[in-house]
């Protein structure tokens, strides 16, 4: 699977129900996957699956769209948008991942500041 295909498949997992999520996670995520974003850090597919379920519950009509992927030496960077089903952009960001055996192994998500939000 190309890095672009892997990121697109991973992004789609966030919108899946639990039964459909598990086989996709096995295909896309290393056995010892770690995930970190501004909300905290998670180790393992089970923990990440629970986090994804909570996300899906809080934003049920949203999906991630991968805009671009850069990749080299088992590392990749993906720019993404979180879009509502009406195509409104809810959030943008960038995720970095180390890869292992063709799967994402250490994922870190960064959220862009929302419009009108200032950091000082």
């Amino acid at each position: 699977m190309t890095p672009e295909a892997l990121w697109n498949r991973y992004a789609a997992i966030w919108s899946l129900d639990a039964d459909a999520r598990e086989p996709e996670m096995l295909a896309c995520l290393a056995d010892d996957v770690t995930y970190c974003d501004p909300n905290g850090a998670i180790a393992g597919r089970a923990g990440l699956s629970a986090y994804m379920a909570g996300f899906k519950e809080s934003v049920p009509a949203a999906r991630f769209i991968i805009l671009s992927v850069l990749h080299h030496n088992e590392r990749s960077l993906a720019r993404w948008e979180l879009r509502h089903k009406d195509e409104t952009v809810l959030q943008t960001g960038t995720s970095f991942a180390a890869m292992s055996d063709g799967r994402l192994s250490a994922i870190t998500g960064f959220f862009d500041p929302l419009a009108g939000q200032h950091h000082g």
Side-chain angles (χ1 to χ4, degrees):
M1 185 173 353
T2 67
E4 292 82 3
L6 178 60
W7 276 106
N8 281 308
R9 194 169 174 182
Y10 167 72
I13 295 171
W14 288 82
S15 299
L16 298 176
D17 292 324
D19 291 342
R21 186 182 316 121
E22 297 309 317
E24 287 300 295
M25 291 184 81
L26 286 171
C28 296
L29 304 176
D31 295 341
D32 59 350
V33 67
T34 60
Y35 176 86
C36 180
D37 70 19
N39 297 313
I42 298 165
R45 278 194 298 257
L48 182 52
S49 182
Y51 184 71
M52 289 174 163
F55 168 83
K56 184 177 180 338
E57 187 175 305
S58 69
V59 194
R63 62 184 167 57
F64 285 100
I65 304 295
I66 301 299
L67 303 173
S68 64
V69 174
L70 298 173
H71 176 79
H72 67 79
N73 296 303
E74 294 298 300
R75 284 157 179 63
S76 62
L77 193 66
R79 290 280 309 144
W80 51 262
E81 289 179 342
L82 176 62
R83 291 188 194 164
H84 188 272
K85 67 180 177 184
D86 68 6
E87 297 302 318
T88 302
V89 176
L90 304 173
Q91 180 73 60
T92 60
T94 304
S95 291
F96 168 81
M99 298 174 68
S100 175
D101 297 323
R103 297 185 293 173
L104 303 174
S105 62
I107 306 162
T108 303
F110 297 88
F111 306 157
D112 294 332
L114 298 174
Q117 195 175 44
H118 300 283
H119 296 281

